[in-house]
Amino acid sequence: MRVLITYQMSGKQLQAPTDLFIRQFKWHMTVVVGSVIAICILYIRVSWHDSTVPLPPQPQPRRKSSGSLPQELSDLTHLLHWPPTLGDGGDLLASTSPQTSTYHLRGPPQASYTLGGYLEAILVARDHQGRPKTHGGDLFRAQLLGPYLKAGVPGDIQDLENGTYLLSFPLLWAGQAQVQVRLIHSSEAVGVLRRIWRDQWATVDFTGYFRGPTGYEETVTCNVNPLLTGEEESTCHYRDEDSGELWFCARPPTLPCDSLVGHSSGHYWNVTTPHEEALLAWNVTDKVLPQSISPIWVAKESNKSLVLSPQQPCHPGIPGPKPSGFYHRAVWHSLSCSGRSFSTVDSILGCLAGHIVHMMGDSTLRQWWEYLRDTVPSLKPVDLHATYQTGPLMAVETTRGIVMHWRAHSWPLRSLRTPVASLHSVVRELGGLAGGPHTVVVLGLGSHFTTFPPSAFVQRLAGIRAAVAALLAREPLTLVVIKLANTGYKSVYGSDWFTLQVNRLLRAAFADLRVAFVDAWEMTSSLALPDRIHPGRLIVRSEVNFFLSFICPT
């Protein structure tokens, strides 16, 4: 249920920069005071010392958590730390270049390497004139690949903050292996992203559709902050009673605020200068560095050709190692537990039998629903006459007692036009579940929050975490799975750099709860495949197989 409040703001049209600052400052002070009170209730002490982003009032879920958020999430300065990015002084040639940056083995090359050991390399970042950089902050991606074996594992990158990086790769399969390094964003481009994420209240807006009794409609701008709606006189204010989540729309010219019936994406804002756009351009973004290390050979160890997964079955609360797994012959091998392969329809049906699966989140999680629907012929979709892009979607298998739901999370949501009545908050959905051993909940959050400052996502996570904790408290045998966000976007609105920060927040928010994690980030960054926000079938199959391993660990 949503509560509607209409209130008057300034009666004067403000245009001068000074007046705009005063208006924003007043809103900032009002919201921050409210946020401090609510945050104290939820034990979140968010501190990002250089942020100028106002915090909207803290959601207060109907069912509060019995414990506080982990300390890691309470300190954004520590959790979202990134080495300083000093900028290029307006000289594009001084930024990190994928063409001139180099890497080499840390030690002398060997005729063969030991299975289960490590390969180390040194990466030297250089600018477009070949000069070594003297500071860190670049976003590189390192992989060890086995092209002939369809194998791959992400490498660990340690930023030494002096222009050099230490690369480390576990040797997990016998045979040939090849290092590959990509520059996702230069440190200068990361500096642009950091500024936008901290200092911009938003980089997109949304459209609200209002309808009168005769069918006449009016459209206005909506957003997470009333000052972002473009309306100075009055604003329609919506509050979700279950989650406390807030939403604002400019007041329509003639229709009342309670006539809001539809929602869709609006516009992407221009938030970069021409120089910043050049730093984020395609020709310097997500580019492979020149090959600097010859392929290596990994010898078998005791006649073994593969580092095996741990013997322990997959269960919620299991620690997540780095890396979390690797591919071999196009199959994902978990390094945290003995993940299973559900390669037949019968194996999938046997695992899901008697379960009700509730998936809530973005379209990358909808891919799981689609994969299971398409793979299992007897899992029949039910036409709920809903907008497909946002749901709700439902599929059933009556002979095995399987019910599978998916629905998008509520605002903010970039989507085609969809009925507002269909946009349920995750907290509302979780609060309506009885839970139990036959209930499975999957949450896939993050992608739609990269266009807002981190505080917005933290506050959303606070309410969701409290609802998850309450669900597990009343029915501890409920399985809750958190799907981390995957690689894909490379723009100012959804960069991989943003996604890294979102995943840090997701892990920290649920770290002390008995939930399972599916590391979609590493599953989409381990192979030499094109990055897509919606991964291909090989990746989705791997994600779903690992997910099913928590439902049916043995």
Side-chain angles (χ1 to χ4, degrees):
M1 178 179 179
R2 292 186 177 90
V3 174
L4 168 66
I5 303 172
T6 305
Y7 62 90
Q8 298 293 321
M9 295 182 68
S10 169
K12 181 181 179 181
Q13 186 73 19
L14 302 178
Q15 298 185 14
T18 301
D19 293 338
L20 178 60
F21 173 79
I22 293 173
R23 179 170 56 83
Q24 293 178 341
F25 179 76
K26 289 179 178 179
W27 167 254
H28 173 84
M29 293 304 296
T30 301
V31 177
V32 167
V33 170
S35 297
V36 168
I37 296 173
I39 287 170
C40 288
I41 294 174
L42 289 171
Y43 298 97
I44 303 177
R45 299 176 298 278
V46 176
S47 96
W48 193 328
H49 64 280
D50 58 350
S51 177
T52 59
V53 179
L55 303 180
Q58 174 67 31
Q60 297 185 31
R62 180 173 53 194
R63 299 170 176 82
K64 297 180 182 179
S65 167
S66 58
S68 65
L69 279 170
Q71 178 64 35
E72 289 85 353
L73 193 62
S74 304
D75 184 1
L76 287 182
T77 304
H78 170 73
L79 182 62
L80 301 183
H81 170 75
W82 194 264
T85 52
L86 303 181
D88 58 9
D91 180 10
L92 186 63
L93 295 179
S95 62
T96 306
S97 166
Q99 287 80 31
T100 61
S101 296
T102 59
Y103 57 95
H104 58 270
L105 290 176
R106 189 179 188 186
Q110 301 176 25
S112 66
Y113 292 80
T114 303
L115 181 68
Y118 283 85
L119 180 74
E120 292 187 330
I122 299 293
L123 168 61
V124 179
R126 302 177 187 272
D127 68 15
H128 289 266
Q129 295 180 324
R131 298 170 298 192
K133 302 292 290 291
T134 58
H135 62 83
D138 301 290
L139 178 56
F140 287 102
R141 182 187 302 167
Q143 300 166 303
L144 189 67
L145 304 172
Y148 302 111
L149 296 169
K150 297 181 181 179
V153 64
D156 179 70
I157 302 177
Q158 181 182 351
D159 189 344
L160 303 181
E161 301 191 25
N162 60 3
T164 61
Y165 300 78
L166 176 62
L167 313 181
S168 179
F169 306 91
L171 304 178
L172 301 172
W173 64 86
Q176 191 180 83
Q178 174 71 65
V179 173
Q180 183 180 92
V181 180
R182 307 179 76 92
L183 175 65
I184 306 299
H185 290 301
S186 67
S187 60
E188 291 76 17
V190 170
V192 175
L193 300 175
R194 292 182 72 181
R195 175 190 67 77
I196 290 171
W197 210 33
R198 293 185 316 208
D199 300 343
Q200 289 285 330
W201 291 3
T203 56
V204 297
D205 60 29
F206 303 85
T207 300
Y209 301 84
F210 293 75
R211 182 186 299 148
T214 64
Y216 168 72
E217 289 195 349
E218 294 175 344
T219 60
V220 301
T221 298
C222 302
N223 221 314
V224 298
N225 184 316
L227 298 180
L228 303 176
T229 63
E231 176 59 56
E232 308 293 345
E233 293 296 330
S234 64
T235 306
C236 297
H237 171 170
Y238 305 90
R239 181 178 183 275
D240 187 290
E241 280 199 321
D242 296 283
S243 65
E245 296 162 11
L246 298 174
W247 191 248
F248 304 89
C249 292
R251 187 180 183 92
T254 64
L255 295 175
C257 288
D258 61 4
S259 62
L260 177 65
V261 295
H263 165 86
S264 76
S265 300
H267 305 90
Y268 287 85
W269 298 353
N270 183 6
V271 294
T272 53
T273 66
H275 179 71
E276 290 173 335
E277 291 174 5
L279 290 171
L280 293 162
W282 67 270
N283 60 314
V284 291
T285 300
D286 192 24
K287 296 301 179 184
V288 178
L289 272 59
Q291 191 57 253
S292 302
I293 299 177
S294 299
I296 66 168
W297 184 263
V298 181
K300 292 183 178 180
E301 180 72 15
S302 301
N303 208 33
K304 292 191 304 182
S305 59
L306 201 66
V307 172
L308 301 178
S309 298
Q311 293 301 305
Q312 63 174 331
C314 299
H315 61 81
I318 196 167
K322 294 291 290 183
S324 61
F326 66 99
Y327 285 98
H328 185 261
R329 301 197 184 281
V331 173
W332 178 257
H333 296 263
S334 170
L335 292 175
S336 61
C337 59
S338 56
R340 298 177 58 195
S341 178
F342 296 82
S343 57
T344 67
V345 170
D346 285 342
S347 64
I348 296 174
L349 286 173
C351 180
L352 289 176
H355 287 89
I356 303 176
V357 182
H358 301 268
M359 302 182 188
M360 311 171 202
D362 57 37
S363 55
T364 65
L365 183 57
R366 188 181 67 221
Q367 287 186 274
W368 290 18
W369 187 91
E370 293 166 338
Y371 172 84
L372 290 168
R373 176 204 62 189
D374 296 341
T375 303
V376 181
S378 60
L379 192 57
K380 301 296 185 181
V382 178
D383 186 0
L384 299 179
H385 304 286
T387 304
Y388 184 83
Q389 190 184 31
T390 55
L393 305 179
M394 179 179 177
V396 299
E397 214 283 358
T398 55
T399 61
R400 303 291 186 102
I402 303 169
V403 182
M404 192 170 63
H405 300 276
W406 173 85
R407 73 182 312 137
H409 60 70
S410 187
W411 299 314
L413 183 70
R414 300 189 298 275
S415 69
L416 301 175
R417 178 168 174 171
T418 192
V420 166
S422 296
L423 298 178
H424 296 184
S425 69
V426 173
V427 170
R428 173 180 173 181
E429 289 295 304
L430 293 174
L433 297 180
H438 300 290
T439 301
V440 180
V441 172
V442 190
L443 304 179
L445 309 166
S447 295
H448 291 261
F449 288 86
T450 59
T451 52
F452 301 94
S455 55
F457 190 47
V458 167
Q459 290 162 38
R460 180 64 60 88
L461 284 178
I464 293 174
R465 180 193 182 280
V468 168
L471 173 61
L472 294 176
R474 61 180 179 266
E475 280 294 349
L477 294 181
T478 305
L479 174 61
V480 178
V481 179
I482 309 297
K483 175 192 173 294
L484 298 183
N486 53 261
T487 62
Y489 288 131
K490 304 291 187 292
S491 78
V492 72
Y493 307 103
S495 161
D496 282 350
W497 185 82
F498 292 141
T499 304
L500 271 176
Q501 317 313 313
V502 162
N503 282 341
R504 288 179 177 180
L505 295 174
L506 278 168
R507 281 199 179 276
F510 298 99
D512 63 340
L513 296 182
R514 198 173 182 274
V515 303
F517 288 94
V518 174
D519 194 342
W521 173 268
E522 291 202 349
M523 289 186 177
T524 52
S525 59
S526 295
L527 292 174
L529 297 175
D531 272 346
R532 295 189 296 177
I533 190 59
H534 295 113
R537 186 174 176 85
L538 185 156
I539 302 295
V540 176
R541 182 185 67 215
S542 300
E543 294 173 350
V544 172
N545 278 343
F546 193 51
F547 156 62
L548 294 176
S549 297
F550 287 98
I551 301 177
C552 307
T554 57

